[in-house]
Amino acid sequence: MARIFLASFIFLISCFADDIDSFEDEYATSSFDPLSGYNRVMTEFNHVVYQNILIPTFKGYDYIMPDPAQDAISNFFDNIIYPIRLVNNLLQFKFTAAGEETLRFIANTIIGFGGISDVATNVYGLKRHDEDFGQTLGYWGIGSGFPIVLPVLGQTNLRDLIGMSGDFFINPLSYTNEIFTDDSHKYFHLNLAVKSWQLINDGSKDPELYNKLTSGAIDLYTFIKDGYEQRRNAQIKE
Amino acid sequence: MKKIIFLLFLVCSIAFGIELKNIDDTLKSDFKKAIEIMNDKSIVKEQKPLELFKLFDGYFDYSLMARLSLSKQYSMLNPTQQDEFKKQFVANLKASFTQKLGYYSDQEIEFVKGEMGNKNRYNVYAVIKNKSENYPLIFKFHPANKSDYLIYDIDILGVSLVQSYRSQFNDLSKNAGFDEIIKRLQNATADHNATVK
């Protein structure tokens, strides 16, 4: 009798033990990381900067700026950088999304008081289609290259770094000095100020987001790197 | 003899799984129950994650998740180490879930569709809804025996939970031994528990 039970037990165990190799293919990833030494140091540096400078700045801004104003500023910047979404949707042959983005821009600019109100989403149900040049390069089949951690800006990879350069040139905020001043060279820092404002305003909507995402990481650098790569791959597939 | 019967009972009770044809209905129903638990003001905040674990524990293959997360390193551990790793892994997973739940208690989860990924995989697609955005979620099932399926991974916004652990353990195990991995897991769990809201 005992043998029968033992045999049944072993049978049950073997049933539960799925062929582990069948899962391995699902999790095959590239481990090419030639800058890992530098990246780890920069991740730690950024962590200190976020904890001591950026997050307190987000919290201070959040304290003095009312939520509706934060939303309005965020909507305004989102509306202004519509060319990035338009161009990258077109480059990925997502014409319906590009059309919807254009309708959003028209609605938010005209009826949404220059973009401060997102009437396109709230009234007309027009969805936003975030696309950037890094995603476009991925869509065209260009691999991520290798991971790079930028000072303050954080995790990226070679493809997305090139993508950032592409987006820089079609981002209207990169021309703030030329549009609003007579001497664009003298006021070059205006562009940086405006982009910093955008970053701080967006960050202040959830000042603890970085800590929420990274608390409990077993290995901070690998956690951020892997999460970034997986998320970007998912965005490219969308 | 009693021990064998007890063990058989234990194995059956831990991993009962869900029949393939019932996965969609079970998850739809359990998502609703989960929202009810989250919105039930008579349940204290600390008790809510425990109630949710009661609901979902039966069809989570924690053992396989632990094994996949440590990848090939797992088979190099002796049985005692494997048990210790599983224990710490599950504690970490649950602490992480509890912590995240504290941050995002105003969200709802909604069933979208279920479909076969391939002949041995079944995926349930859902969305986490909050005021402004929807976040895609995939529950990945595998056949634990002929008819019953268990969850072996969850994708949130395209980020696989198992893959995330796997990458970290893979990097860590290049330079550290088993004791360091356990220590890091314990520290991470403590970190989660310290930041529960």
Side-chain angles (χ1 to χ4, degrees), chain A residues 27 29 213 216-228 230, chain B residues 68-70 89 93 96 153-156 158-171:
Chain A
Y27 298 108
T29 51
L213 291 173
I218 294 156
D219 182 82
L220 184 64
Y221 167 60
T222 316
F223 178 79
I224 296 174
K225 176 183 75 171
D226 180 76
Y228 178 85
Q230 284 200 63
Chain B
L68 290 174
S69 295
L70 204 54
F89 176 84
L93 197 63
S96 169
D153 195 7
I154 301 176
D155 272 17
I156 305 165
V159 179
S160 147
L161 211 61
V162 166
Q163 178 65 61
S164 178
Y165 275 111
R166 212 173 145 94
S167 301
Q168 293 178 84
F169 289 135
N170 184 39
D171 261 24

Side-chain angles (χ1 to χ4, degrees), chain A residues 1-2 5-6 8-9 12-13 15-16 18 20 22-24 26-27 29 40 209 212 215-219 222-223 225-227 230-231 234, chain B residues 1 4 8 11 15 64 67-68 71 99-100 103-104 121 142-144 152-153 157-160 163-168 171 184 188 191-192:
Chain A
M1 186 62 126
F5 275 112
L6 192 62
S8 309
F9 179 69
L12 267 172
I13 293 288
C15 284
F16 294 132
D18 205 323
I20 202 80
S22 70
F23 292 94
E24 288 295 326
E26 282 184 49
Y27 298 108
T29 51
R40 278 187 181 279
L209 182 64
K212 286 177 187 175
S215 70
I218 294 156
D219 182 82
T222 316
F223 178 79
K225 176 183 75 171
D226 180 76
Q230 284 200 63
R231 179 71 191 127
Chain B
M1 171 73 94
I4 293 169
L8 265 173
V11 169
L64 180 62
R67 195 172 167 181
L68 290 174
S71 187
Q99 184 223 30
K100 301 289 186 283
Y103 287 137
Y104 302 107
R121 301 286 182 269
H142 78 106
Y152 69 95
D153 195 7
L157 284 162
V159 179
S160 147
Q163 178 65 61
S164 178
Y165 275 111
R166 212 173 145 94
S167 301
Q168 293 178 84
D171 261 24
R184 293 273 193 115
D191 194 12
H192 281 312

